[in-house]
Amino acid sequence: MTDTLIRMQDIEKVFLTDEVETHALSNIHLEVKKGEWLSIVGPSGSGKTTLLAILGLLDTATGGEYLLDQRPVRELAASDRAHVRNRHIGFIFQSFNLIGDLTVAENVELPLTYRGLPPAERKKRVDEALARVGMSHRARHMPGQLSGGQQQRVAVARAVAGDPLILLADEPTGNLDSKNGQTVMKLLSELHAAGSTLIMVTHDPAYARLATRTVSLFDGRIVEESGSSTAA
Amino acid sequence: MDALLRDLRFAIRGLLRTPGFTAAAVLALALGIGATTAIFSVVHAVLLRSLGWGDESRLVSLRTDFMTRHLVGFSLSVPEYEDFTAAPFLEAAGAFADGTAALQGERAERVRVANATGSFFKTLGVQPVLGRGFAPDEDFKGHDEVALLDGTAWRRRYGADPAVVGRSVTLDGHPYRIVGVLPDSFRYGGTREFYVPFGFTDEQRLKQRGAHYLEGVGRLRAGLSPEAAQAALDQLSARVRAAHPESYAPEQGFRFSTAPLRDRFVGSSRQPLWLLFGLVLLVLLIACGNVANLMLARSASRQREFALRSALGAGRARLTRQLLTESAVLAVMGAALGVLIGAWGLDGLLATAPRQIRQLADIRVDRAVLAFAVGVTAATTILSGLLPALRFSRPDLAGSLKEGGQTTAGVSAGRLRSMLVVAQVALSLVVLVSAGLVLRSFASLLRVSPGFDPAGATAARLSPGGPAYDDDDSARARFFDEALRRASALPGVEAAGGIDRLPMEGNYRLSYFIEGYQPPSGEPQPSDAIRRAMPGYFKAMRQPVVAGREFSLSDDARAPLVALVNQAWVRRYSPGREVLGHRIRLDTKRPREGEWRTIVGVVGDAREEGLDRPAPPVYYFAAAQSPPDQMTLVLRGAVSPASLREPLAGIDPTQPEGRIDLLDEVVANSLAPRVFPLRLLGAFAALALLLAAVGIYGVTSYGVTQRTREIGVRIAVGAQPGDVVRLVMGGALKVAGLGVAIGLASALLAAQVLSSMLYGVGARDPFTYAVISMVLAAVALAASYLPALRATRVDPMSALRAD
Ligand SMILES: Nc1ncnc2c1ncn2[C@@H]1O[C@H](COP(=O)(O)OP(=O)(O)OP(=O)(O)O)[C@@H](O)[C@H]1O
Ligand SMILES: [Mg+2]
């Protein structure tokens, strides 16, 4: 039993548009252990979102091998990938992506519904997740009635409610002012402290430093790694 | 004006840029306006357009009522007609009777000929276009050998030759001199080729108060209030009753009555026509819903344009006008195409319409119909353009800022459009339920046994006329006998017989006495449908003889007089008692007709008045013992109508050929008035369903586009394709379900209007409502399937990339 959650070997992603090839990622080697907090930094267009999408099984690599929890993901059919996303991955988006006509609680419940959990179990987990992000009192509100920071906290609750192996966040503070950004980062720190594995894309060096390890991308390649890769 | 032109140019340019949208909207409108225009043409011609005879409110049918015999709106006898002509409350009164006659030519031909008094045309204000009308004395025997020629017949038969006046024609063996030609436009609920006087005799005028065969028409004196007219009518009735107590026994409940003349032509079609018109308006509304929906979708994608225009200082009125101009352009294009579709549809409609409807009036797309189409177009413009105009002429800038990525775009933008689809589904359900109920009625009618076997039998009509037959019972009897003998001898005939009137082709009732039967006090003598049958008729019809026997060849003129009755008669007059051997006799003083006849058999009931009416009591006389004017031979077996023609024509070459039908056609003809609305309703239902499906498709498809990001998020967090399909189709089903619920409530109310058109099924028939609801749900699922499929292909990356 090893505690390596993610192992990427020679991952490459090529986009083909109008017969123009864009090498969004090349030669990516990456390993993430359980409990790590990895931050991905790099200039705009360097491939951060693309890497996160492949990590989260939202997209597929065009080359290389990706083992998630020691299973190769290449062979997975679309519905299996959906299943893996649902069980093992929690997403936090830059633009929150709460569903406007579902209540806060229903938004958090969404992945659990797709998992087919019984209602009582769903309710328990939703309550717990909302409590963790401090949003229990807003469970019946609509997302439109919340501030940006509150919405992102609800989005975090949605990501953790299913108790995933790994949390993926693409610039979780990008749409927030600094005060709200700090609240969300504090939340992520708490999750990390409680044992969650996190991979986060960020532009902000200050936030990147909160992570146990930082990977810098440039032009689709990993140009620098810093921090300890053996953090607990 | 300049601004309007600019709006117009802009609208047309915009519409041309989105040809798919424009085509869909124009087509929806064209179908709606086309169907509405076609039905309106019929409604207008039959129910609304002036009859063309001056002040219609003063034109009335003149009728008699025998209240206790349940005869209301009965015809007049000659003395009764003359009572009316003398009544001061009428400015003019005339009489009319429809019929046919044998027209002698190279080959004898049966043509439609009506009897009319000279005053009939004067009452209606119809002037001959050539020659003269009938003079007053020409109404009477001895002066009556003159004829008026119908305008259409004048063209067709005489090539519009003006020299036709003065020429002679031979009708039923009598020569008539043509004295005038009537205008082309004249029709009296149908067309005839010739009009000839009645030739009233003194005998008829003085003695035949009981012979009702004239249709009376009168023009009320100008300025007469309805109350005064009614009072004058009551006075006349009282005076006539008092003067002729022998003809109007108190227990008959006799009185004169009048009714608006238009009722004579419209009768039972009024209600179905209004109903069809109402339903076609619903279809048009559904079409408007689609256009409004398309416009909303289009305007939504142009929200930026409107915001910009508004920022540049365009006022609300200005933007509203722009949007209304667009919907007006659409409506005008839809109307132009729609009127074409309507005119073309009307031709198809009339080709399949029963004679009863076609002959009511000259139905066409005329100026009034075009004016109606213009009105409909204006209404359509407003109905389909106003909603988008109200929604988007005030761009919600703050709202669109707020949607900048905080949450996925909610469905609220689509709520208005969804409500439109809800309305469309509700309206379609009303149309579909109406069609479904009428269809079910028709199906239950088809299951009704007519009481005889209509399949595999042929009916040949005989009506010998002219001096050789008119007043010679035995000559007619010989003619019928010979015809039956010749027809029976044809190869393939298994059974043959004859009757004066087939079931479902109208009744003729006569009063009669039943030996030992006393009508309950206050009621008159029985008066029921009489038929005269030849031997072999019931066998040929496969109408069972349940007791005794049917007529045989030995029941001839010299044999004891015999009669048959049907089971309904037994139930009515002799329940539980033996009827064979009992006697009946007609209430007449004519020597032989009025003698007692012995009932020798009971036959099964036939649906004499149509499949939808219960069998009435009928009594039958042996044709040889009471020769009728006309006879229909019924031949069971494989006989082609063509093979019948030759032997029948050979009996007397001066007699025209009668019509030969298959017996099923007789039943089919009786159903024709129901088939017509059924077909139309079917077409409306299909159209409504199609338009509703387009509406559901449109709103779902638009919804999927609007919610791409939301769907992406759902897929990102693990929604399976099945979940996405359920989400999209479930949404469509929810919209349809709400529409169905509202539609059910409306249809339950609306269907009450249908009640009188239904047979064997209630206006609230749960089966129909359930099936139609399921059909609509199925359509909603089918219409949302493609958008749902598209939704499953949404790239979850859209959740990451969106901003
Ligand atoms: N669907 C696509 N088709 C073609 N090229 C794409 C696609 N998605 C991304 N790319 C390209 O791949 C490269 C990496 O894009 P990516 O979104 O991963 O960058 P990023 O580092 O997240 O940038 P940002 O900081 O601006 O979010 C870019 O050059 C981009 O244009
Ligand atoms: Mg990015």
Side-chain angles (χ1 to χ4, degrees):
Chain A
M1 194 72 194
T2 164
D3 56 358
T4 301
L5 261 189
I6 282 168
R7 184 190 299 277
M8 278 185 158
Q9 264 169 338
D10 204 15
I11 286 293
E12 119 179 320
K13 177 71 183 179
V14 180
F15 290 108
L16 254 179
T17 29
D18 302 336
E19 298 176 13
V20 178
E21 283 192 5
T22 311
H23 289 258
L25 295 172
S26 316
N27 208 5
I28 302 286
H29 294 269
L30 188 68
E31 223 171 87
V32 182
K33 293 202 163 54
K34 199 167 274 175
E36 263 195 297
W37 180 356
L38 181 74
S39 72
I40 301 172
V41 297
S44 181
S46 57
K48 306 182 295 290
T49 297
T50 307
L51 178 56
L52 203 70
I54 292 172
L55 282 167
L57 301 197
L58 293 177
D59 208 350
T60 49
T62 46
E65 179 145 59
Y66 171 21
L67 298 176
L68 175 64
D69 204 15
Q70 295 161 76
R71 287 205 317 262
V73 302
R74 192 202 292 264
E75 286 94 57
L76 294 180
S79 66
D80 294 328
R81 297 158 61 79
H83 182 83
V84 171
R85 283 198 300 272
N86 182 259
R87 295 262 165 165
H88 304 309
I89 294 168
F91 285 103
I92 301 160
F93 305 97
Q94 174 175 352
S95 49
F96 326 146
N97 278 340
L98 296 182
I99 291 168
D101 48 10
L102 298 182
T103 64
V104 161
E106 285 165 346
N107 266 287
V108 174
E109 191 182 8
L110 199 60
L112 308 177
T113 313
Y114 290 139
R115 196 182 290 191
L117 289 179
E121 171 76 8
R122 294 205 300 258
K123 183 167 178 348
K124 199 181 110 225
R125 293 204 186 198
V126 168
D127 291 346
E128 280 169 15
L130 283 176
R132 275 177 93 171
V133 302
M135 289 297 294
S136 301
H137 60 301
R138 294 300 182 97
R140 288 159 175 282
H141 285 219
M142 301 306 283
Q145 299 169 301
L146 304 182
S147 75
Q150 289 173 320
Q151 288 191 37
Q152 192 61 308
R153 275 152 66 194
V154 172
V156 171
R158 177 173 67 188
V160 301
D163 198 14
L165 284 176
I166 178 167
L167 285 173
L168 300 179
D170 192 0
E171 303 199 31
T173 60
N175 279 10
L176 299 175
D177 58 27
S178 64
K179 185 168 154 288
N180 275 316
Q182 278 162 21
T183 319
V184 168
M185 287 314 294
K186 188 160 162 279
L187 194 55
L188 291 185
S189 306
E190 286 165 15
L191 289 173
H192 175 242
S196 291
T197 312
L198 260 88
I199 301 179
M200 167 186 87
V201 169
T202 181
H203 266 130
D204 191 325
Y207 292 153
R209 276 196 294 279
L210 288 172
T212 47
R213 186 155 67 102
T214 301
V215 167
S216 298
L217 284 183
F218 188 82
D219 220 4
R221 291 165 195 276
I222 294 179
V223 293
E224 192 188 330
E225 278 203 50
S226 63
S228 156
S229 60
T230 53
Chain B
M1 193 63 212
D2 206 31
L4 190 69
L5 274 180
R6 211 170 36 232
D7 276 352
L8 202 59
R9 211 171 322 120
F10 187 82
I12 291 173
R13 216 187 303 138
L15 290 172
L16 287 180
R17 252 202 312 272
T18 48
F21 161 84
T22 307
V26 167
L27 196 64
L29 281 180
L31 289 173
I33 294 179
T36 311
T37 308
I39 298 299
F40 180 76
S41 309
V42 181
V43 168
H44 173 67
V46 174
L47 301 178
L48 304 176
R49 192 165 63 202
S50 149
L51 294 170
W53 301 321
D55 183 0
E56 191 184 320
S57 65
R58 288 167 55 204
L59 286 174
V60 289
S61 299
L62 307 175
R63 329 176 308 172
T64 54
D65 297 343
F66 294 86
M67 299 309 285
T68 47
R69 284 160 59 186
H70 307 288
L71 280 179
V72 173
F74 203 48
S75 32
L76 308 179
S77 64
V78 179
E80 287 163 345
Y81 161 64
E82 295 194 329
D83 292 336
F84 269 120
T85 55
F89 71 96
L90 291 175
E91 195 177 271
F96 172 90
D98 230 337
T100 64
L103 173 66
Q104 245 71 59
E106 281 165 36
R107 209 191 150 108
E109 188 184 344
R110 184 149 295 278
V111 295
R112 296 192 69 182
V113 175
N115 292 112
T117 60
S119 57
F120 170 74
F121 300 101
K122 290 203 188 75
T123 306
L124 298 178
V126 174
Q127 296 282 346
V129 289
L130 207 63
R132 61 170 179 87
F134 297 146
D137 66 324
E138 286 169 344
D139 287 346
F140 304 104
K141 198 78 190 171
H143 310 271
D144 59 333
E145 308 210 313
V146 288
L148 282 167
L149 180 58
D150 170 76
T152 314
W154 178 45
R155 263 166 237 294
R156 204 172 55 79
R157 226 173 248 292
Y158 300 97
D161 178 5
V164 76
V165 174
R167 247 197 250 169
S168 177
V169 285
T170 305
L171 296 169
D172 276 348
H174 302 287
Y176 292 89
R177 191 164 41 85
I178 297 174
V179 295
V181 176
L182 292 168
D184 255 353
S185 60
F186 177 69
R187 57 170 66 209
Y188 192 69
T191 54
R192 290 109 197 138
E193 299 209 20
F194 298 96
Y195 296 81
V196 299
F198 285 97
F200 296 143
T201 61
D202 285 344
E203 156 102 9
Q204 286 173 325
R205 299 176 64 193
L206 299 172
K207 298 205 180 124
Q208 297 189 0
R209 255 186 197 274
H212 295 91
Y213 69 102
L214 304 178
E215 203 180 287
V217 54
R219 184 181 290 274
L220 296 172
R221 233 180 40 224
L224 198 64
S225 73
E227 297 76 30
Q230 188 57 50
L233 190 63
D234 291 342
Q235 237 172 14
L236 178 67
S237 305
R239 207 174 59 235
V240 168
R241 268 196 307 265
H244 306 280
E246 74 292 350
S247 299
Y248 308 112
E251 67 266 21
Q252 295 200 321
F254 165 82
R255 66 171 195 211
F256 286 123
S257 68
T258 61
L261 185 59
R262 190 184 283 267
D263 287 356
R264 181 211 177 273
F265 308 114
V266 176
S268 59
S269 345
R270 175 174 272 133
Q271 213 200 0
L273 272 180
W274 279 123
L275 186 92
L276 286 171
F277 187 56
L279 288 176
V280 83
L281 283 179
L282 294 190
V283 174
L284 179 64
L285 266 182
I286 299 173
C288 287
N290 268 346
V291 177
N293 231 330
L294 284 165
M295 296 267 303
L296 276 173
R298 210 168 111 82
S299 318
S301 62
R302 286 164 60 190
Q303 224 160 351
R304 268 213 189 114
E305 174 197 327
F306 292 129
L308 186 67
R309 283 168 173 265
S310 154
L312 291 177
R316 186 156 191 215
R318 184 80 188 65
L319 288 176
T320 306
R321 210 173 64 205
Q322 173 68 53
L323 277 162
L324 280 181
T325 308
E326 256 178 50
S327 70
V329 169
L330 285 177
V332 166
M333 290 200 284
L337 188 59
V339 168
L340 286 181
I341 292 179
W344 170 77
L346 185 63
D347 285 346
L349 205 68
L350 293 180
T352 59
R355 209 170 354 117
Q356 291 94 314
I357 296 244
R358 244 179 307 144
Q359 294 197 334
L360 288 178
D362 177 17
I363 301 169
R364 62 199 137 80
V365 176
D366 59 11
R367 216 176 306 147
V369 173
L370 287 177
F372 171 80
V374 169
V376 164
T377 308
T380 307
T381 303
I382 292 170
L383 279 175
S384 53
L386 205 59
L387 211 52
L390 289 180
R391 174 90 167 73
F392 289 106
S393 61
R394 194 169 41 188
D396 182 6
L397 291 168
S400 45
L401 271 184
K402 208 174 172 187
E403 272 183 16
Q406 309 285 311
T407 57
T408 64
V411 286
S412 66
R415 192 145 294 158
L416 191 57
R417 304 195 54 209
S418 297
M419 289 326 290
L420 272 174
V421 174
V422 166
Q424 287 184 302
V425 170
L427 292 173
S428 325
L429 186 120
V430 174
V431 176
L432 283 161
V433 160
S434 307
L437 289 173
V438 171
L439 180 69
R440 290 252 300 154
S441 305
F442 194 70
S444 30
L445 265 185
L446 291 182
R447 279 196 299 273
V448 171
S449 160
F452 56 89
D453 180 3
T458 308
R461 334 266 163 173
L462 309 170
S463 41
Y469 299 99
D470 282 352
D471 297 308
D472 188 346
D473 283 0
S474 58
R476 286 200 308 280
R478 277 195 306 277
F479 186 95
F480 299 144
D481 285 344
E482 179 60 15
L484 184 57
R485 198 187 59 75
R486 289 180 178 221
S488 315
L490 284 174
V493 174
E494 295 156 20
I499 194 154
D500 56 347
R501 236 173 243 264
L502 282 174
M504 307 182 183
E505 296 205 326
N507 275 342
Y508 183 63
R509 303 214 269 175
L510 286 180
S511 298
Y512 62 108
F513 298 102
I514 306 169
E515 198 175 26
Y517 172 84
Q518 229 6 79
S521 72
E523 274 187 34
Q525 284 303 315
S527 169
D528 288 307
I530 178 172
R531 299 254 197 273
R532 286 138 172 134
M534 296 180 78
Y537 167 75
F538 295 100
K539 182 156 180 259
M541 291 291 276
R542 297 210 173 127
Q543 192 172 342
V545 177
V546 296
R549 60 174 179 90
E550 79 161 294
F551 297 132
S552 74
L553 283 173
S554 56
D555 297 319
D556 61 17
R558 287 175 302 277
L561 299 180
V562 288
L564 302 175
V565 292
N566 69 354
Q567 290 175 296
W569 190 95
V570 175
R571 281 196 298 279
R572 170 91 164 77
Y573 295 111
S574 189
R577 276 183 292 132
E578 181 57 60
V579 295
L580 299 186
H582 282 242
R583 300 195 301 170
I584 57 178
R585 80 173 177 82
L586 284 184
D587 183 5
T588 172
K589 295 189 184 76
R590 286 173 62 195
R592 198 165 154 83
E593 282 287 272
E595 283 172 34
W596 287 106
R597 293 164 200 252
T598 307
I599 298 173
V600 296
V602 178
V603 298
D605 292 337
R607 297 284 175 145
E608 305 284 348
E609 295 166 349
L611 293 175
D612 54 351
R613 304 277 299 275
V618 182
Y619 59 102
Y620 300 85
F621 287 179
Q625 299 175 343
S626 173
D629 295 340
Q630 53 178 33
M631 183 63 66
T632 298
L633 298 185
V634 177
L635 309 169
R636 166 88 37 201
V639 213
S640 75
S643 67
L644 257 173
R645 219 154 261 147
E646 204 46 45
L648 292 183
I651 305 171
D652 177 351
T654 66
Q655 294 301 316
E657 274 175 15
R659 221 173 70 228
I660 301 177
D661 294 322
L662 298 177
L663 198 52
D664 332 19
E665 290 172 327
V666 172
V667 178
N669 283 342
S670 82
L671 289 173
R674 281 180 182 271
V675 175
F676 178 64
L678 180 64
R679 276 214 196 98
L680 279 179
L681 277 174
F684 295 169
L687 195 54
L689 202 57
L690 178 74
L691 290 171
V694 168
I696 293 168
Y697 170 81
V699 85
T700 311
S701 172
Y702 175 79
V704 166
T705 309
Q706 289 287 293
R707 296 165 71 187
T708 303
R709 174 119 149 266
E710 176 199 325
I711 293 165
V713 170
R714 287 171 181 269
I715 294 176
V717 303
Q720 296 281 354
D723 296 319
V724 175
V725 167
R726 260 195 300 283
L727 175 76
V728 174
M729 289 176 67
L733 207 55
K734 231 183 277 169
V735 167
L738 189 55
V740 164
I742 295 174
L744 283 177
S746 329
L748 280 171
L749 293 175
Q752 292 309 315
V753 186
L754 274 174
S755 300
S756 67
M757 286 172 71
L758 300 182
Y759 177 86
V761 56
R764 307 190 154 182
D765 175 48
F767 177 80
T768 307
Y769 284 76
V771 167
I772 298 296
S773 303
M774 284 189 286
V775 164
L776 276 168
V779 163
L781 290 180
S784 59
Y785 180 68
L786 278 184
L789 215 57
R790 190 153 59 80
T792 62
R793 290 196 285 263
V794 165
D795 187 349
M797 286 297 292
S798 57
L800 275 180
R801 298 256 181 236
D803 38 23

